[in-house]
Amino acid sequence: MDAMDKDRDIPQRAVPPLWTEESARRRRLPDPVRTAAVRAVIIVAVTLVQAMIAVLSALAGSWLAFPSVLTTVASTVLATWGVLDVWVTRQVWNQRYGVVSRPSSSARELRRQRRRARKAGPGGSRRTAERGPARGAAA
């Protein structure tokens, strides 16, 4: 018996995987929406850094306070545009590709009632009674 045979007597333990696959809780954002969201997050982060620089330089009485306040105001407008861009891009994507038409429960219930009325009565007499007399009918 050599060293190789001795190792065969040792039971092998199952090595747990480094990670386990789990299903996602939510679906992944579409690419254009995700791109707009990343852009918005970067713009908002830069705006917050600029705002901190403006506040600290104003407290210190530095000459940099006035230009940094101006750039912070402009960056705030840009950040607002970035966030609105995410919202608009998401709405556009949903309208073009993501709309699933499902009738609401109330519409479904109305259809069921009409179907039952058609099956129950001859030729949908209930429907004509709701509408009133026909145009050419004698009063």
Side-chain angles (χ1 to χ4, degrees):
M1 259 176 137
D2 58 6
M4 295 286 289
D5 291 334
K6 289 180 184 176
D7 289 341
R8 290 185 187 153
D9 294 339
I10 299 172
Q12 295 290 328
R13 279 193 277 170
V15 178
L18 293 176
W19 64 86
T20 57
E21 295 287 333
E22 294 180 4
S23 60
R25 293 181 185 166
R26 294 188 325 178
R27 290 191 337 241
R28 179 177 163 169
L29 285 175
D31 287 339
V33 178
R34 201 176 56 211
T35 303
V38 168
R39 184 172 49 237
V41 166
I42 291 171
I43 292 171
V44 168
V46 169
T47 302
L48 290 175
V49 169
Q50 283 182 339
M52 284 302 301
I53 290 172
V55 167
L56 292 176
S57 60
L59 289 175
S62 172
W63 63 271
L64 193 61
F66 183 68
S68 62
V69 167
L70 289 180
T71 57
T72 301
V73 169
S75 191
T76 302
V77 172
L78 190 66
T80 304
W81 170 84
V83 172
L84 285 176
D85 181 44
V86 173
W87 183 67
V88 169
T89 305
R90 186 170 185 226
Q91 295 297 324
V92 167
W93 196 91
N94 280 337
Q95 284 184 355
R96 287 185 183 166
Y97 308 107
V99 175
V100 177
S101 179
R102 293 183 187 154
S104 66
S105 58
S106 59
R108 210 173 291 133
E109 184 60 34
L110 286 173
R111 278 201 328 250
R112 281 190 200 122
Q113 289 174 358
R114 289 185 192 137
R115 203 176 306 127
R116 286 184 197 133
R118 274 193 307 247
K119 288 180 182 178
S125 60
R126 179 178 170 224
R127 186 182 253 174
T128 56
E130 288 175 0
R131 288 187 195 162
R135 286 188 184 168

